[in-house]
Amino acid sequence: MLAYLRIFAVNHQKISSLHINNMCCCKRRASLKKSELHVLFGRNYSSLPGLIGNDIKSLHSVINPPIAKIRNIGIMAHIDAGKTTTTERILYYSGYTRSLGDVDDGDTVTDFMAQERERGITIQSAAVTFDWKGYRINLIDTPGHVDFTLEVERCLRVLDGAVTVFDASAGVEAQTLTVWRQADKHKIPRICFLNKMDKTGASFNYAVESIKEKLKAKPLLLQFPIGEAKTFKGVVDIVNKEKLLWNSNSDDGKDFERKPLLETSDTELFKKTIEARNTLIEQVADLDDEFADLVLGEFSENFDLLPAEKLQTAIHRVTVAQVAVPVLCGSALKNKGVQPLLDAITMYLPSPEERNYEFLQWYKGDLCALAFKVLHDKQRGPVVFMRIYSGMLKPQLAIHNINGNCTERISRLLLPFADQHVEIPSLTAGNIALTVGLKQTATGDTIVSSKSSALAAARQAKREGEKKHNREADRLLLAGVEIPEPVFFCTIEPPSVAKQPDLDRALKCLQREDPSLKVRLDPDSGQTILCGMGELHIEIIHDRIKREYGLETYLGPLQVAYRETILNSVRATDTLDRILGDKRHLVTIELEARPTEKPSVVPVIEYGESVSEDLLKASQEAIENGIHSACLQGPLLGSPIQDVVITLHLLVIHPGTSTTMISACVSRCVQKALKKADKQVLEPLMNLEVTVIREYLSPVLADLAQRRGNIQEIQTRQDNKVVIAFVPLAEIMGYSTVLRTLTSGSATFAIELSTYQAMSPQDQRILLTRRNGSSMFL
């Protein structure tokens, strides 16, 4: 009976011993009468999450499993490597869904947005909670498109492990490198899954070599495929010396058999497996001293006698230490190899208690959580995803937001199940939860139980920092998410002036959900400017405003986010003298602007020796605000200024002068200096990777030459050529349509921001003429 309920919610009463498996229907009804069940029907869920199997004895144990049994993992990869299909199969085999979803059919669990289903791509990361053989797995499916890199970044921040999915025919691709670097930054242990082993051109050895060469990682081969491409039918488990064969008559891949490899029946396969196992043992022994002692001691004569459990424990240690990555293979689409991947997730990736988070010692078991994502639900309002590092979350709990310096109250607590959620009475450390009722909390905010708890933790952090001579200990309290700078912008207008407040509200909600989306007001025209990470990013935002908020908005032409800088050192002086009421406001400023030696997005601010320290203490904030505001709009295009140093040489302030007047004078003086200097436009330079078959290579190269492309190298990947080039962003707007036409739809490409580079005088002159109607500035 319970197996057909989609989701459940438990009232705040404690239900300590509800023996679900031993109850008849009438007993179930009587026991559950006390707790309020909210039943919502929709997607086909096979059972209540956590009630699979016969080892669960109470709802409490379902909601809060032992921390050693929790795995917080992410699925990450290049676009089209098969992340969402792999996730879908994982949910099916774990018993979470009763039917296999398909990206092409638009019925997957984690791609629930209309835009995702239409395009067949992941846009928002989706969290799903399920159980596998007694383990609680919190899984997040992340996007592979470069426009949504922030989605990957903020999810990796809170994960303990990750599965990197590879297309076995392509190996390491452009976005794979990006997400791998992100995982390196957050020190996340990984497992590699070589997907699409059934695809034409799939090569296990090629994919493994690309992991070695491009990712500089040490792959530990735990499996190898039985056949490749059309002949792929199963995998060999090297650790246990078994072969896993999937039943060709099975539609869903649930039926497969494990057979021990015997020398008598599979001579060649047995020999290959023994060689691979011996190599694996030697690799692990080189990386793990404890295992090396064991191998050289008891099993030095014969590696075959080494128990699989000992080898698995050692592989777990080297994976958690991030000195190597286990490699598995399969085909998610053909339902092969996913169950062993689930076993590997629980066996080799770490539990929350195995991750070393230094800041936990400062809280001593008190609540510490990180808000890593915000969604706006039409019924519930803002829903905040949280990773609990220590302590416990409960509904009606008052919490303190360190970043916002405010106290809020959680009204409801939910477990995440993609777009559907389960209400729960409490959740302990190591878990990922959804909270309802937090109005001010945003992405990257640190949540604690109270202000006094935050102060106590800060004092403890300071003491630890002094011991270690580390002044930045306090910063770890607020370790949030780095927000990348947008590269595209366009104007957005409502259908009528009356709808402007509705558009402002919609944009405010979308910004809170997606911090990489920036919205600003043009001071000259009064228009709203939308700034995003790419063409697709802005297109999706536009579509969401229409569908979710019912507003038919109009977008202006897409424009590139240029930057500006200066080429020489200049000085400027300015005086502001105003009488407002009976007060005189008088400021005199002399400053110097010069180019930096090292790139810097924000202006570097220095103070000359002649500036009075007392005067500076009282007005430093106002001065820096004035400098920053002046550098938001450069003299050429009105684009932000970067790579400049502003040195204040003279500061005279009349007593009683307001800070607003100081900021205004500083800002005006900086602008005066920037106008006097030799100016330079900087344009975003993209790292472009085009995968194309040989016969279309020449037209692709010719087209890139016309786009001011600088070819770095041309690699060979199986039967394809991979062109790696630097191309100005302005030249590749709408590139996907042109590439499809040139290659009859056979080529693919990936781009990511590389750096900002100076434009040539000729290109700069053309740009300024187009923008300003003349080249009077040069």
Side-chain angles (χ1 to χ4, degrees), residues 6 11 32 55 116 136-137 153 169 175 224 266 269 309-310 357 376 378 394 402 414 437 461 471 563 710 727:
R6 184 173 181 194
N11 213 1
L32 291 173
D55 56 336
E116 293 176 313
R136 165 62 46 82
I137 299 177
E153 177 77 23
S169 66
Q175 190 66 6
F224 63 79
D266 296 293
L269 205 56
E309 294 78 16
K310 299 283 187 185
Y357 296 110
H376 278 268
K378 287 180 181 176
K394 290 182 179 180
I402 296 181
L414 311 166
R471 293 182 181 179
R563 301 278 175 84
N710 182 4
V727 188

PDB file of all heavy atoms in Angstrom, residues 6 11 32 55 116 136-137 153 169 175 224 266 269 309-310 357 376 378 394 402 414 437 461 471 563 710 727:
ATOM      1  N   ARG A   6       3.489   8.708  -3.264  1.00  0.00           N
ATOM      2  CA  ARG A   6       4.603   9.405  -3.923  1.00  0.00           C
ATOM      3  C   ARG A   6       5.553  10.018  -2.930  1.00  0.00           C
ATOM      4  O   ARG A   6       6.737   9.806  -2.962  1.00  0.00           O
ATOM      5  CB  ARG A   6       4.066  10.485  -4.853  1.00  0.00           C
ATOM      6  CG  ARG A   6       5.197  11.134  -5.595  1.00  0.00           C
ATOM      7  CD  ARG A   6       4.668  12.067  -6.605  1.00  0.00           C
ATOM      8  NE  ARG A   6       5.815  12.639  -7.315  1.00  0.00           N
ATOM      9  CZ  ARG A   6       5.772  13.651  -8.075  1.00  0.00           C
ATOM     10  NH1 ARG A   6       4.660  14.264  -8.294  1.00  0.00           N
ATOM     11  NH2 ARG A   6       6.828  14.121  -8.673  1.00  0.00           N
ATOM     12  N   ASN A  11       4.616  14.732  10.824  1.00  0.00           N
ATOM     13  CA  ASN A  11       4.383  15.854  11.731  1.00  0.00           C
ATOM     14  C   ASN A  11       5.527  15.945  12.718  1.00  0.00           C
ATOM     15  O   ASN A  11       6.405  15.101  12.730  1.00  0.00           O
ATOM     16  CB  ASN A  11       3.061  15.643  12.474  1.00  0.00           C
ATOM     17  CG  ASN A  11       2.349  16.929  12.764  1.00  0.00           C
ATOM     18  OD1 ASN A  11       2.830  17.988  12.397  1.00  0.00           O
ATOM     19  ND2 ASN A  11       1.210  16.838  13.396  1.00  0.00           N
ATOM     20  N   LEU A  32      -0.211   5.214  11.696  1.00  0.00           N
ATOM     21  CA  LEU A  32       0.063   6.456  10.975  1.00  0.00           C
ATOM     22  C   LEU A  32      -0.998   7.525  11.209  1.00  0.00           C
ATOM     23  O   LEU A  32      -0.853   8.644  10.757  1.00  0.00           O
ATOM     24  CB  LEU A  32       0.185   6.187   9.473  1.00  0.00           C
ATOM     25  CG  LEU A  32       1.407   5.390   9.052  1.00  0.00           C
ATOM     26  CD1 LEU A  32       1.311   5.041   7.571  1.00  0.00           C
ATOM     27  CD2 LEU A  32       2.682   6.156   9.333  1.00  0.00           C
ATOM     28  N   ASP A  55      15.559  -3.601   6.204  1.00  0.00           N
ATOM     29  CA  ASP A  55      16.425  -3.284   7.339  1.00  0.00           C
ATOM     30  C   ASP A  55      16.032  -1.980   8.018  1.00  0.00           C
ATOM     31  O   ASP A  55      16.610  -1.611   9.017  1.00  0.00           O
ATOM     32  CB  ASP A  55      17.884  -3.215   6.877  1.00  0.00           C
ATOM     33  CG  ASP A  55      18.079  -2.212   5.759  1.00  0.00           C
ATOM     34  OD1 ASP A  55      17.106  -1.919   5.059  1.00  0.00           O
ATOM     35  OD2 ASP A  55      19.217  -1.732   5.616  1.00  0.00           O
ATOM     36  N   GLU A 116      14.554  22.842 -19.830  1.00  0.00           N
ATOM     37  CA  GLU A 116      15.475  21.706 -19.864  1.00  0.00           C
ATOM     38  C   GLU A 116      14.920  20.600 -20.752  1.00  0.00           C
ATOM     39  O   GLU A 116      15.637  19.975 -21.532  1.00  0.00           O
ATOM     40  CB  GLU A 116      15.707  21.176 -18.445  1.00  0.00           C
ATOM     41  CG  GLU A 116      16.445  22.143 -17.546  1.00  0.00           C
ATOM     42  CD  GLU A 116      16.582  21.635 -16.117  1.00  0.00           C
ATOM     43  OE1 GLU A 116      15.591  21.162 -15.540  1.00  0.00           O
ATOM     44  OE2 GLU A 116      17.687  21.723 -15.580  1.00  0.00           O
ATOM     45  N   ARG A 136      22.526   6.212   2.567  1.00  0.00           N
ATOM     46  CA  ARG A 136      21.745   7.372   2.123  1.00  0.00           C
ATOM     47  C   ARG A 136      22.594   8.187   1.160  1.00  0.00           C
ATOM     48  O   ARG A 136      23.687   8.623   1.508  1.00  0.00           O
ATOM     49  CB  ARG A 136      21.370   8.230   3.340  1.00  0.00           C
ATOM     50  CG  ARG A 136      20.867   9.647   3.041  1.00  0.00           C
ATOM     51  CD  ARG A 136      19.592   9.689   2.227  1.00  0.00           C
ATOM     52  NE  ARG A 136      18.571   8.780   2.668  1.00  0.00           N
ATOM     53  CZ  ARG A 136      17.731   9.033   3.668  1.00  0.00           C
ATOM     54  NH1 ARG A 136      17.797  10.165   4.316  1.00  0.00           N
ATOM     55  NH2 ARG A 136      16.818   8.146   4.009  1.00  0.00           N
ATOM     56  N   ILE A 137      22.108   8.374  -0.057  1.00  0.00           N
ATOM     57  CA  ILE A 137      22.854   9.130  -1.063  1.00  0.00           C
ATOM     58  C   ILE A 137      22.091  10.408  -1.411  1.00  0.00           C
ATOM     59  O   ILE A 137      20.929  10.351  -1.816  1.00  0.00           O
ATOM     60  CB  ILE A 137      23.108   8.291  -2.338  1.00  0.00           C
ATOM     61  CG1 ILE A 137      23.942   7.047  -1.994  1.00  0.00           C
ATOM     62  CG2 ILE A 137      23.819   9.129  -3.397  1.00  0.00           C
ATOM     63  CD1 ILE A 137      24.195   6.111  -3.150  1.00  0.00           C
ATOM     64  N   GLU A 153      29.702  25.141  -9.694  1.00  0.00           N
ATOM     65  CA  GLU A 153      30.570  25.701  -8.645  1.00  0.00           C
ATOM     66  C   GLU A 153      29.894  25.667  -7.281  1.00  0.00           C
ATOM     67  O   GLU A 153      30.466  25.215  -6.289  1.00  0.00           O
ATOM     68  CB  GLU A 153      30.925  27.151  -9.019  1.00  0.00           C
ATOM     69  CG  GLU A 153      31.749  27.887  -7.991  1.00  0.00           C
ATOM     70  CD  GLU A 153      33.215  27.501  -7.986  1.00  0.00           C
ATOM     71  OE1 GLU A 153      33.712  27.000  -9.003  1.00  0.00           O
ATOM     72  OE2 GLU A 153      33.862  27.690  -6.942  1.00  0.00           O
ATOM     73  N   SER A 169      33.910   7.717 -26.333  1.00  0.00           N
ATOM     74  CA  SER A 169      34.433   7.932 -27.675  1.00  0.00           C
ATOM     75  C   SER A 169      35.192   9.255 -27.782  1.00  0.00           C
ATOM     76  O   SER A 169      35.941   9.476 -28.730  1.00  0.00           O
ATOM     77  CB  SER A 169      33.296   7.934 -28.704  1.00  0.00           C
ATOM     78  OG  SER A 169      32.449   9.047 -28.504  1.00  0.00           O
ATOM     79  N   GLN A 175      34.647  21.109 -21.405  1.00  0.00           N
ATOM     80  CA  GLN A 175      33.973  21.414 -20.139  1.00  0.00           C
ATOM     81  C   GLN A 175      34.363  20.425 -19.048  1.00  0.00           C
ATOM     82  O   GLN A 175      34.277  20.741 -17.863  1.00  0.00           O
ATOM     83  CB  GLN A 175      32.453  21.446 -20.351  1.00  0.00           C
ATOM     84  CG  GLN A 175      31.645  21.979 -19.178  1.00  0.00           C
ATOM     85  CD  GLN A 175      31.890  23.451 -18.874  1.00  0.00           C
ATOM     86  OE1 GLN A 175      32.595  24.129 -19.622  1.00  0.00           O
ATOM     87  NE2 GLN A 175      31.329  23.948 -17.801  1.00  0.00           N
ATOM     88  N   PHE A 224      37.166  -3.317 -16.785  1.00  0.00           N
ATOM     89  CA  PHE A 224      37.383  -3.067 -18.211  1.00  0.00           C
ATOM     90  C   PHE A 224      36.208  -3.693 -18.960  1.00  0.00           C
ATOM     91  O   PHE A 224      35.561  -4.627 -18.461  1.00  0.00           O
ATOM     92  CB  PHE A 224      38.754  -3.563 -18.702  1.00  0.00           C
ATOM     93  CG  PHE A 224      38.987  -5.049 -18.598  1.00  0.00           C
ATOM     94  CD1 PHE A 224      38.464  -5.942 -19.536  1.00  0.00           C
ATOM     95  CD2 PHE A 224      39.762  -5.566 -17.563  1.00  0.00           C
ATOM     96  CE1 PHE A 224      38.693  -7.300 -19.446  1.00  0.00           C
ATOM     97  CE2 PHE A 224      40.004  -6.934 -17.467  1.00  0.00           C
ATOM     98  CZ  PHE A 224      39.467  -7.802 -18.405  1.00  0.00           C
ATOM     99  N   ASP A 266      37.294 -19.218 -19.326  1.00  0.00           N
ATOM    100  CA  ASP A 266      37.613 -17.932 -19.975  1.00  0.00           C
ATOM    101  C   ASP A 266      39.117 -17.681 -19.890  1.00  0.00           C
ATOM    102  O   ASP A 266      39.576 -16.774 -19.193  1.00  0.00           O
ATOM    103  CB  ASP A 266      36.873 -16.779 -19.278  1.00  0.00           C
ATOM    104  CG  ASP A 266      35.373 -16.894 -19.416  1.00  0.00           C
ATOM    105  OD1 ASP A 266      34.891 -16.755 -20.545  1.00  0.00           O
ATOM    106  OD2 ASP A 266      34.698 -17.125 -18.401  1.00  0.00           O
ATOM    107  N   LEU A 269      40.326 -14.032 -21.017  1.00  0.00           N
ATOM    108  CA  LEU A 269      39.749 -13.015 -20.129  1.00  0.00           C
ATOM    109  C   LEU A 269      40.327 -13.145 -18.720  1.00  0.00           C
ATOM    110  O   LEU A 269      40.619 -12.141 -18.053  1.00  0.00           O
ATOM    111  CB  LEU A 269      38.222 -13.167 -20.101  1.00  0.00           C
ATOM    112  CG  LEU A 269      37.396 -11.924 -19.760  1.00  0.00           C
ATOM    113  CD1 LEU A 269      37.709 -10.784 -20.698  1.00  0.00           C
ATOM    114  CD2 LEU A 269      35.909 -12.255 -19.809  1.00  0.00           C
ATOM    115  N   GLU A 309      38.363  -7.373  -0.094  1.00  0.00           N
ATOM    116  CA  GLU A 309      38.001  -6.362   0.918  1.00  0.00           C
ATOM    117  C   GLU A 309      39.201  -5.494   1.294  1.00  0.00           C
ATOM    118  O   GLU A 309      39.069  -4.287   1.475  1.00  0.00           O
ATOM    119  CB  GLU A 309      37.445  -7.036   2.192  1.00  0.00           C
ATOM    120  CG  GLU A 309      36.125  -7.757   2.005  1.00  0.00           C
ATOM    121  CD  GLU A 309      36.283  -9.112   1.326  1.00  0.00           C
ATOM    122  OE1 GLU A 309      37.425  -9.628   1.266  1.00  0.00           O
ATOM    123  OE2 GLU A 309      35.264  -9.622   0.816  1.00  0.00           O
ATOM    124  N   LYS A 310      40.380  -6.118   1.391  1.00  0.00           N
ATOM    125  CA  LYS A 310      41.594  -5.368   1.729  1.00  0.00           C
ATOM    126  C   LYS A 310      41.940  -4.364   0.624  1.00  0.00           C
ATOM    127  O   LYS A 310      42.330  -3.227   0.880  1.00  0.00           O
ATOM    128  CB  LYS A 310      42.780  -6.322   1.935  1.00  0.00           C
ATOM    129  CG  LYS A 310      42.602  -7.332   3.059  1.00  0.00           C
ATOM    130  CD  LYS A 310      42.810  -6.704   4.413  1.00  0.00           C
ATOM    131  CE  LYS A 310      42.801  -7.754   5.512  1.00  0.00           C
ATOM    132  NZ  LYS A 310      42.887  -7.142   6.854  1.00  0.00           N
ATOM    133  N   TYR A 357      36.955  19.401   7.510  1.00  0.00           N
ATOM    134  CA  TYR A 357      36.513  20.797   7.484  1.00  0.00           C
ATOM    135  C   TYR A 357      37.022  21.472   8.761  1.00  0.00           C
ATOM    136  O   TYR A 357      36.508  21.228   9.851  1.00  0.00           O
ATOM    137  CB  TYR A 357      34.985  20.886   7.419  1.00  0.00           C
ATOM    138  CG  TYR A 357      34.414  20.298   6.149  1.00  0.00           C
ATOM    139  CD1 TYR A 357      33.676  19.110   6.158  1.00  0.00           C
ATOM    140  CD2 TYR A 357      34.616  20.918   4.917  1.00  0.00           C
ATOM    141  CE1 TYR A 357      33.151  18.575   4.997  1.00  0.00           C
ATOM    142  CE2 TYR A 357      34.097  20.378   3.744  1.00  0.00           C
ATOM    143  CZ  TYR A 357      33.371  19.223   3.792  1.00  0.00           C
ATOM    144  OH  TYR A 357      32.856  18.690   2.635  1.00  0.00           O
ATOM    145  N   HIS A 376      12.745  29.842  -6.125  1.00  0.00           N
ATOM    146  CA  HIS A 376      11.475  30.489  -5.790  1.00  0.00           C
ATOM    147  C   HIS A 376      10.331  29.567  -6.178  1.00  0.00           C
ATOM    148  O   HIS A 376      10.141  29.261  -7.348  1.00  0.00           O
ATOM    149  CB  HIS A 376      11.356  31.844  -6.490  1.00  0.00           C
ATOM    150  CG  HIS A 376      12.081  32.926  -5.767  1.00  0.00           C
ATOM    151  ND1 HIS A 376      11.474  33.729  -4.829  1.00  0.00           N
ATOM    152  CD2 HIS A 376      13.369  33.305  -5.796  1.00  0.00           C
ATOM    153  CE1 HIS A 376      12.363  34.568  -4.342  1.00  0.00           C
ATOM    154  NE2 HIS A 376      13.525  34.324  -4.915  1.00  0.00           N
ATOM    155  N   LYS A 378       6.267  28.817  -6.255  1.00  0.00           N
ATOM    156  CA  LYS A 378       5.060  29.646  -6.317  1.00  0.00           C
ATOM    157  C   LYS A 378       4.214  29.534  -5.055  1.00  0.00           C
ATOM    158  O   LYS A 378       3.588  30.507  -4.612  1.00  0.00           O
ATOM    159  CB  LYS A 378       4.219  29.250  -7.532  1.00  0.00           C
ATOM    160  CG  LYS A 378       4.839  29.723  -8.853  1.00  0.00           C
ATOM    161  CD  LYS A 378       4.000  29.320 -10.036  1.00  0.00           C
ATOM    162  CE  LYS A 378       4.671  29.786 -11.334  1.00  0.00           C
ATOM    163  NZ  LYS A 378       3.943  29.335 -12.537  1.00  0.00           N
ATOM    164  N   LYS A 394      15.708  22.143  12.515  1.00  0.00           N
ATOM    165  CA  LYS A 394      14.329  21.761  12.818  1.00  0.00           C
ATOM    166  C   LYS A 394      13.385  22.851  12.330  1.00  0.00           C
ATOM    167  O   LYS A 394      13.773  24.014  12.261  1.00  0.00           O
ATOM    168  CB  LYS A 394      14.141  21.592  14.338  1.00  0.00           C
ATOM    169  CG  LYS A 394      14.827  20.387  14.936  1.00  0.00           C
ATOM    170  CD  LYS A 394      14.530  20.307  16.415  1.00  0.00           C
ATOM    171  CE  LYS A 394      15.199  19.084  17.040  1.00  0.00           C
ATOM    172  NZ  LYS A 394      14.920  19.004  18.489  1.00  0.00           N
ATOM    173  N   ILE A 402      25.151  34.861   9.191  1.00  0.00           N
ATOM    174  CA  ILE A 402      26.359  35.656   9.455  1.00  0.00           C
ATOM    175  C   ILE A 402      26.569  36.710   8.376  1.00  0.00           C
ATOM    176  O   ILE A 402      26.844  37.872   8.670  1.00  0.00           O
ATOM    177  CB  ILE A 402      27.609  34.746   9.556  1.00  0.00           C
ATOM    178  CG1 ILE A 402      27.483  33.808  10.760  1.00  0.00           C
ATOM    179  CG2 ILE A 402      28.876  35.581   9.689  1.00  0.00           C
ATOM    180  CD1 ILE A 402      28.675  32.893  10.952  1.00  0.00           C
ATOM    181  N   LEU A 414      12.463  20.298   4.526  1.00  0.00           N
ATOM    182  CA  LEU A 414      12.130  19.314   3.499  1.00  0.00           C
ATOM    183  C   LEU A 414      13.364  18.534   3.062  1.00  0.00           C
ATOM    184  O   LEU A 414      14.479  19.040   3.126  1.00  0.00           O
ATOM    185  CB  LEU A 414      11.546  20.019   2.261  1.00  0.00           C
ATOM    186  CG  LEU A 414      10.432  21.033   2.487  1.00  0.00           C
ATOM    187  CD1 LEU A 414      10.218  21.866   1.235  1.00  0.00           C
ATOM    188  CD2 LEU A 414       9.141  20.336   2.866  1.00  0.00           C
ATOM    189  N   GLY A 437      10.809  29.590   4.422  1.00  0.00           N
ATOM    190  CA  GLY A 437      10.572  30.661   5.391  1.00  0.00           C
ATOM    191  C   GLY A 437      11.696  31.666   5.524  1.00  0.00           C
ATOM    192  O   GLY A 437      11.542  32.687   6.193  1.00  0.00           O
ATOM    193  N   ALA A 461      38.191  30.790  16.241  1.00  0.00           N
ATOM    194  CA  ALA A 461      38.940  30.818  14.978  1.00  0.00           C
ATOM    195  C   ALA A 461      40.137  31.759  15.093  1.00  0.00           C
ATOM    196  O   ALA A 461      41.221  31.470  14.581  1.00  0.00           O
ATOM    197  CB  ALA A 461      38.026  31.266  13.838  1.00  0.00           C
ATOM    198  N   ARG A 471      46.143  34.920   9.665  1.00  0.00           N
ATOM    199  CA  ARG A 471      45.219  36.022   9.917  1.00  0.00           C
ATOM    200  C   ARG A 471      43.880  35.834   9.207  1.00  0.00           C
ATOM    201  O   ARG A 471      42.943  36.566   9.457  1.00  0.00           O
ATOM    202  CB  ARG A 471      45.850  37.340   9.424  1.00  0.00           C
ATOM    203  CG  ARG A 471      47.060  37.760  10.233  1.00  0.00           C
ATOM    204  CD  ARG A 471      47.606  39.079   9.735  1.00  0.00           C
ATOM    205  NE  ARG A 471      48.769  39.486  10.482  1.00  0.00           N
ATOM    206  CZ  ARG A 471      49.457  40.579  10.244  1.00  0.00           C
ATOM    207  NH1 ARG A 471      49.099  41.382   9.257  1.00  0.00           N
ATOM    208  NH2 ARG A 471      50.509  40.891  10.967  1.00  0.00           N
ATOM    209  N   ARG A 563      35.714  45.730 -21.516  1.00  0.00           N
ATOM    210  CA  ARG A 563      36.336  46.428 -20.385  1.00  0.00           C
ATOM    211  C   ARG A 563      37.247  47.518 -20.949  1.00  0.00           C
ATOM    212  O   ARG A 563      37.550  47.519 -22.138  1.00  0.00           O
ATOM    213  CB  ARG A 563      37.184  45.460 -19.548  1.00  0.00           C
ATOM    214  CG  ARG A 563      36.421  44.289 -18.976  1.00  0.00           C
ATOM    215  CD  ARG A 563      35.688  44.658 -17.708  1.00  0.00           C
ATOM    216  NE  ARG A 563      34.875  43.554 -17.231  1.00  0.00           N
ATOM    217  CZ  ARG A 563      35.325  42.561 -16.480  1.00  0.00           C
ATOM    218  NH1 ARG A 563      36.608  42.543 -16.125  1.00  0.00           N
ATOM    219  NH2 ARG A 563      34.526  41.603 -16.076  1.00  0.00           N
ATOM    220  N   ASN A 710      42.684  32.665 -33.364  1.00  0.00           N
ATOM    221  CA  ASN A 710      44.097  32.298 -33.278  1.00  0.00           C
ATOM    222  C   ASN A 710      44.175  30.802 -32.950  1.00  0.00           C
ATOM    223  O   ASN A 710      43.911  30.395 -31.826  1.00  0.00           O
ATOM    224  CB  ASN A 710      44.760  33.149 -32.182  1.00  0.00           C
ATOM    225  CG  ASN A 710      46.248  32.865 -32.056  1.00  0.00           C
ATOM    226  OD1 ASN A 710      46.806  32.086 -32.819  1.00  0.00           O
ATOM    227  ND2 ASN A 710      46.882  33.483 -31.085  1.00  0.00           N
ATOM    228  N   VAL A 727      39.348  32.929 -29.696  1.00  0.00           N
ATOM    229  CA  VAL A 727      38.539  33.758 -30.591  1.00  0.00           C
ATOM    230  C   VAL A 727      37.855  34.855 -29.768  1.00  0.00           C
ATOM    231  O   VAL A 727      37.306  34.561 -28.700  1.00  0.00           O
ATOM    232  CB  VAL A 727      37.457  32.917 -31.318  1.00  0.00           C
ATOM    233  CG1 VAL A 727      36.755  33.756 -32.375  1.00  0.00           C
ATOM    234  CG2 VAL A 727      38.056  31.672 -31.943  1.00  0.00           C
TER     235      VAL A 727
END
